[in-house]
Amino acid sequence: MSTTLPFRDLHLDANGRLVLTDLNGDSHVGVMPVRAHPISAPDEGLSLVGSHGHELAWVERVSALPDGPRRLLEAELAAREFHPTLKRLIAVNTFGTPSTWRIETDRGEVDFVLKSEEDIRRLEEGRLLITSTHGVQLQVPDRWALDRHSKRLLERFL
């Protein structure tokens, strides 16, 4: 199955900026990939936005792109989307909010402040997205897969 690209070329320039050559042959420097549904459907719907904030191209499905552009876009998105994965809750200073949580993530141990219970977003299939007071979003891929201690601490806030 061949996929028709919504652009002619996509590459990084010497300064590390994403450059898109559109179907008309015009080059656009400083392009930014933006997912339409980053949490619920990260592979579906990606807008390539120019430096002036206008959409230059729409990608229906990132995984359907040829290897080169797909890898380039995935690397750009990974650099922009910082969502550490919560692996374990170590301690919580209080069961009210705001509270300071000591956690282990896929990037190491960290302390963060949970402002309110509303900052824990429940997603489908046991997934959670927890936002710290600094705006960092921690993902929990499956809250049921956490260890017993972590589940007990977490349940106090859900």
Side-chain angles (χ1 to χ4, degrees):
M1 175 177 98
S2 103
T3 302
T4 304
L5 290 175
F7 50 83
R8 281 192 188 172
D9 183 49
L10 191 65
H11 66 276
L12 293 176
D13 69 6
N15 295 316
R17 296 175 299 184
L18 195 59
V19 178
L20 177 135
T21 303
D22 63 25
L23 296 175
N24 296 327
D26 299 322
S27 289
H28 304 273
V29 179
V31 172
M32 183 177 302
V34 179
R35 293 186 204 265
H37 307 285
I39 297 168
S40 61
D43 187 49
E44 298 174 17
L46 179 77
S47 180
L48 296 171
V49 180
S51 60
H52 298 292
H54 298 288
E55 183 177 274
L56 301 170
W58 176 257
V59 176
E60 287 291 331
R61 185 172 293 279
V62 177
S63 62
L65 291 172
D67 280 349
R70 180 182 45 77
R71 286 188 193 147
L72 184 57
L73 289 172
E74 287 171 346
E76 288 291 307
L77 289 164
R80 287 188 53 222
E81 298 172 345
F82 179 67
H83 298 286
T85 299
L86 186 146
K87 295 172 74 175
R88 177 172 72 97
L89 272 81
I90 299 167
V92 176
N93 75 332
T94 180
F95 292 113
T97 52
S99 60
T100 302
W101 293 25
R102 178 96 179 135
I103 62 169
E104 178 185 342
T105 73
D106 59 338
R107 296 160 196 242
E109 286 189 12
V110 68
D111 291 336
F112 80 94
V113 176
L114 180 73
K115 185 172 52 181
S116 73
E117 287 88 357
E118 287 80 35
D119 291 328
I120 301 175
R121 186 169 164 201
R122 294 178 188 179
L123 305 172
E124 69 279 346
E125 301 171 5
R127 295 180 356 187
L128 300 172
L129 192 62
I130 303 170
T131 305
S132 77
T133 55
H134 290 89
V136 174
Q137 293 184 323
L138 301 152
Q139 61 182 347
V140 180
D142 181 2
R143 76 182 211 211
W144 308 116
L146 293 172
D147 65 272
R148 174 184 255 170
H149 177 72
S150 297
K151 285 190 273 192
R152 282 187 182 160
L153 290 176
L154 186 59
E155 285 300 319
R156 299 265 189 133
F157 294 91
L158 295 175

